Amino acid sequence: MVFALYARSLVASGSADTLALGIVGGGGFIGGALGLVVAQRWNDTVPPARLLVGSMVALGAGTVVFGLLTSLAGFAALLFCGFASFFLGKISADTIMQQSMPDDFRGRAFALFDIAYNLGFIVPALVLVAVWSDERVRLVLVGSGVVFLALTALVARWGRAIRGQLAPQDDLV
């Protein structure tokens, strides 16, 4: 949602035309493709829980750093980092979920997981719409990144606490 509001802000300000935003969006596409490839290559050698937390750190840090650059170049870097992190994190979360469910319940549990995962986008989006201001783009972006990093620290702490409950495949030799 931050990306969509940021794009709307750039268009409304007149500092970007459709072609420029298309080129910038291409950076997001490349980042997403890279995230997919990296997740597939690393999924068998790096524990998915570690990949998930790493993707969250990359997204939060990228939002803080590139949120300071309120320009097309900053937006391009933010999209690249954001989509790479998203796909790396999504594939890792899916792997953790699939490994934790017995075969008899995997389909139903995964359906509920996807619903909860998608709600994880809707609720923050509603908050962002309420606090978004085209005059405070930098503050909202950096603030979002900082909040996300704080939540990432909580997820990492929780992950360490439940490490023994994760599937054996998550504890690679």
Side-chain angles (χ1 to χ4, degrees), residues 70-86:
T70 52
S71 65
L72 283 176
F75 187 41
L78 186 62
L79 282 178
F80 179 86
C81 181
F83 282 104
S85 299
F86 169 79

Side-chain angles (χ1 to χ4, degrees), residues 92 97 143 164:
S92 300
M97 178 63 188

Side-chain angles (χ1 to χ4, degrees):
M1 186 63 173
V2 170
F3 301 154
L5 291 170
Y6 192 12
R8 186 194 72 189
S9 175
L10 286 171
V11 170
S13 71
S15 62
D17 60 10
T18 306
L19 177 63
L21 284 177
I23 292 169
V24 168
F29 176 77
I30 292 168
L34 180 66
L36 283 170
V37 170
V38 168
Q40 292 302 324
R41 289 196 183 262
W42 288 359
N43 215 15
D44 294 331
T45 57
V46 178
R50 189 173 300 152
L51 281 177
L52 178 62
V53 171
S55 73
M56 293 174 73
V57 168
L59 180 59
T63 303
V64 169
V65 171
F66 301 125
L68 292 170
L69 308 171
T70 52
S71 65
L72 283 176
F75 187 41
L78 186 62
L79 282 178
F80 179 86
C81 181
F83 282 104
S85 299
F86 169 79
F87 282 107
L88 185 61
K90 176 66 171 138
I91 289 172
S92 300
D94 287 354
T95 301
I96 293 166
M97 178 63 188
Q98 289 182 14
Q99 289 175 345
S100 66
M101 287 292 120
D103 289 339
D104 294 345
F105 298 102
R106 188 170 291 134
R108 287 170 277 189
F110 200 75
L112 291 173
F113 170 75
D114 268 348
I115 291 169
Y117 198 89
N118 290 329
L119 281 175
F121 290 104
I122 294 168
V123 173
L126 293 173
V127 171
L128 281 170
V129 167
V131 301
W132 187 266
S133 169
D134 289 343
E135 293 79 39
R136 297 180 296 151
V137 171
R138 183 176 291 134
L139 176 65
V140 174
L141 288 172
V142 172
S144 296
V146 169
V147 168
F148 195 77
L149 286 171
L151 292 172
T152 299
L154 291 174
V155 168
R157 183 176 178 201
W158 175 63
R160 283 189 298 274
I162 65 165
R163 181 172 286 158
Q165 298 174 28
L166 295 174
Q169 296 92 329
D170 288 348
D171 297 326
L172 301 173
V173 179

